[in-house]
Amino acid sequence: MWRKASAAVLLALAVGFFYSGRPDLPEQILQYIGLPNFQASSPSQSGLEQAISSAWEALITLPTQRWSRVAVGVNACVDVVVSGVGLLQALAADPGAGLDHEVLHSKEDLKEAFVHFMERGAAAERFFSDEEAFQGIARAAAEYPGAKLYVGGNAALISQKFASYPDLMVLLCGPIGPKLHELLDEQIVVPPESLQETDEFHLILEYKAGERWGSTRAPQANRFIFSHDVSNGEMSSLETFVESLDEFQPDLVVLSGLHMMEGQGRELWEERLKEAVEAIADIPKDIPIHLELASMTDKDYMNSIMQEVMPAVSSIGLNEQELLFLSQAGAGPHAALPAWKGIPDVGRVSDILLWILERHGRSDPSSESDLTRIHFHTLAYHVLATVDGHWGNQAAAVMAGARVASSQACGLHAVDVDKVELKVPLEFYSSHAEPREQLNLNPAEPVTVWHRGNITFHMTPVLVCKHPLRTVGLGDAISAEGLVYSEFQTQEHF
């Protein structure tokens, strides 16, 4: 008996020592070994996921000053969502080695690019240059069993999310054909000039976590998007969008679709980027502009967006591929990293976000840049980085974005803790370099905050859906939800 008692005392001392250095040790472990839990903020018996979900519901509150009219443009289409492996098999494609292609010219290019990103579990979007070949693939996709048609294009998807708030009036400009118009929420206002006789179709090849094709296995669920979309590719609705703002009088403008121009050639995108910046310059300074980025492969093009467009907007939204590519294009921090391995390191992400706001944003009050906010999202967590004094309610905003990612991926209106899991590390650092601060995630208050100069970072975990039903549009929903819960603090411009 005394041996058992001594062992229990030693175990208690060991756990006590370990727990003093690891405050994130789950309550379940303490209960399992029969020790009392003295930390009031520890998760309940139902686990970390339940604690985080409950905290979100308690802490997420709308800002005092809310948007009333939001204008969104300019890419819109109909998404044809289909099994990527299934469609490629139907097209008689054989599995093989993956290879990235900046522009797709053939079915073989499509197969290689799909495999390249599937084996990484990474999202990507490419332009398909051959219209005739694309139309043949599109017909096969539409006829494939289980294929579904949805609202597509970042602008249209962001509009749909905004329209879920009945007191928010939403204007959408983009190439809107009859099928897309039918699919849009009735609350969305579409200028007559945006309506066209035919729809633009984008093909979304989805794959599940663990899905195999030949020797390729997907580490997580994601999708590969491609299209031959000239209207969106040339941003043909940009002028209509800007002209509509005078009459609509928005208090928030959201711009997307710049990535679609990449496949149109340097001459076109150089001209259109200048026209986009000129158009943005006409928007009053007290109206914030959010730019939603998407997958790109041309470093010169990304660098041009970074140099010319980003300083003209107030806020940007992007994921881990876009963040790293942006740093690679601009020779920023961790640019030598070829790709993220697993969950992106929080410290590295923080370094790049800081660099963007210091180099291309308004961290210096004397800067002419308007960029003061970046909403970063990846599978396991989200970070909002803001220049102090420009945005309010950002803790609620980052949590709201994570909550919608958790629920929408599972096809639900609310988080179901039985269908999600926590993948983010409970300990991480504020930077990858010294000096750096060691940070912890507290599930009872699931927003970790740190400061670097006059820039504040808000980080929250995502409760990752174990069996996602649809991954398309998650980034757009995240950015839109984050904006709904954000409060813009108007500054004096001299």
Side-chain angles (χ1 to χ4, degrees):
M1 180 66 72
W2 66 270
R3 289 180 179 176
K4 290 184 179 180
S6 298
V9 170
L10 288 172
L11 179 61
L13 290 171
V15 170
F17 174 78
F18 178 71
Y19 189 53
S20 67
R22 287 290 308 274
D24 50 75
L25 186 67
E27 181 184 70
Q28 295 96 310
I29 297 177
L30 298 178
Q31 292 174 335
Y32 179 77
I33 59 177
L35 295 175
N37 178 12
F38 298 107
Q39 185 163 344
S41 61
S42 295
S44 65
Q45 292 183 11
S46 55
L48 297 172
E49 289 85 0
Q50 181 62 64
I52 291 168
S53 180
S54 298
W56 281 347
E57 295 308 314
L59 297 172
I60 296 174
T61 56
L62 286 162
T64 305
Q65 298 292 327
R66 299 174 59 185
W67 318 110
S68 60
R69 304 168 76 85
V70 180
V72 188
V74 291
N75 60 325
C77 64
V78 174
D79 280 344
V80 182
V81 182
V82 66
S83 162
V85 173
L87 176 62
L88 288 167
Q89 288 175 332
L91 293 169
D94 295 321
L99 179 65
D100 191 12
H101 295 275
E102 293 187 4
V103 176
L104 309 178
H105 301 288
S106 65
K107 183 179 72 175
E108 184 68 15
D109 287 356
L110 169 63
K111 181 206 74 173
E112 291 176 345
F114 175 79
V115 170
H116 174 83
F117 288 101
M118 179 182 176
E119 64 189 5
R120 290 163 174 76
E125 186 166 348
R126 296 291 181 266
F127 180 77
F128 200 107
S129 65
D130 188 326
E131 182 178 4
E132 185 177 348
F134 175 79
Q135 293 300 337
I137 296 170
R139 283 192 295 271
E143 294 168 2
Y144 187 83
K148 297 177 182 177
L149 302 184
Y150 295 101
V151 171
N154 306 89
L157 287 164
I158 289 170
S159 297
Q160 288 284 91
K161 188 60 191 174
F162 280 134
S164 66
Y165 289 85
D167 55 347
L168 193 55
M169 185 175 290
V170 184
L171 174 79
L172 171 62
C173 288
I176 298 170
K179 185 61 181 178
L180 177 56
H181 203 198
E182 175 189 323
L183 293 170
L184 288 173
D185 191 288
E186 293 180 356
Q187 189 175 320
I188 296 173
V189 177
V190 178
E193 296 82 4
S194 284
L195 299 175
Q196 59 183 44
E197 294 182 359
T198 58
D199 286 284
E200 298 287 355
F201 288 94
H202 288 205
L203 303 190
I204 319 295
L205 307 190
E206 291 197 321
Y207 49 85
K208 299 175 182 177
E211 186 172 357
R212 292 184 179 275
W213 192 35
S215 61
T216 300
R217 180 184 179 277
Q220 63 189 35
N222 224 314
R223 80 283 183 187
F224 182 83
I225 307 174
F226 68 104
S227 67
H228 179 86
D229 183 344
V230 177
S231 295
N232 284 306
E234 295 178 351
M235 291 188 75
S236 59
S237 298
L238 178 62
E239 283 74 21
T240 298
F241 180 50
V242 175
E243 290 167 3
S244 301
L245 299 182
D246 283 341
E247 182 178 349
F248 186 70
Q249 292 291 301
D251 44 22
L252 171 66
V253 171
V254 179
L255 178 65
S256 64
L258 290 178
H259 65 287
M260 295 296 298
M261 293 197 293
E262 183 181 44
Q264 302 298 313
R266 187 183 190 100
E267 187 176 342
L268 182 140
W269 60 249
E270 280 186 342
E271 180 183 348
R272 292 299 276 165
L273 276 185
K274 290 177 182 176
E275 292 170 351
V277 172
E278 290 172 0
I280 290 171
D282 291 335
I283 299 172
K285 288 289 187 181
D286 60 346
I287 300 175
I289 304 167
H290 174 84
L291 173 65
E292 190 68 13
L293 293 176
S295 176
M296 286 175 266
T297 59
D298 187 317
K299 288 185 179 180
D300 289 340
Y301 184 53
M302 175 61 99
N303 198 45
S304 292
I305 290 174
M306 186 164 44
Q307 299 283 349
E308 299 173 32
V309 183
M310 284 189 188
V313 303
S314 315
S315 168
I316 60 174
L318 75 177
N319 67 17
E320 71 275 15
Q321 275 90 32
E322 294 142 18
L323 183 76
L324 183 57
F325 187 65
L326 197 155
S327 187
Q328 292 168 344
H334 314 298
L337 193 68
W340 301 109
K341 293 182 180 179
I343 297 170
D345 175 67
V346 176
R348 284 189 171 97
V349 167
S350 176
D351 292 341
I352 301 174
L353 293 174
L354 178 71
W355 169 74
I356 295 171
L357 289 173
E358 287 187 338
R359 181 68 61 87
H360 303 286
R362 198 177 174 79
S363 64
D364 182 347
S366 65
S367 169
E368 294 183 358
S369 173
D370 289 323
L371 181 62
T372 51
R373 177 183 186 270
I374 305 175
H375 191 165
F376 168 82
H377 51 88
T378 188
L379 180 72
Y381 65 90
H382 297 173
V383 177
L384 259 170
T386 54
V387 178
D388 293 346
H390 293 265
W391 295 87
N393 210 44
Q394 294 302 278
V398 74
M399 287 188 287
R403 181 176 64 179
V404 80
S406 300
S407 59
Q408 186 165 310
C410 286
L412 302 171
H413 293 293
V415 177
D416 184 339
V417 294
D418 294 326
K419 296 182 178 181
V420 296
E421 58 186 333
L422 189 67
K423 290 192 173 185
V424 71
L426 299 181
E427 290 184 348
F428 47 91
Y429 290 94
S430 61
S431 172
H432 188 66
E434 301 291 348
R436 59 182 183 172
E437 180 183 0
Q438 183 173 334
L439 302 164
N440 297 300
L441 172 66
N442 177 6
E445 296 179 4
V447 177
T448 306
V449 182
W450 66 97
H451 306 272
R452 300 179 70 176
N454 65 338
I455 295 170
T456 299
F457 298 80
H458 291 84
M459 180 268 203
T460 196
V462 174
L463 299 178
V464 181
C465 186
K466 296 176 185 176
H467 305 289
L469 298 178
R470 186 165 181 254
T471 58
V472 175
L474 272 184
D476 302 307
I478 290 163
S479 287
E481 194 81 347
L483 287 167
V484 166
Y485 283 85
S486 291
E487 185 170 353
F488 183 63
Q489 297 166 354
T490 304
Q491 306 290 310
E492 292 293 333
H493 286 264
F494 299 98

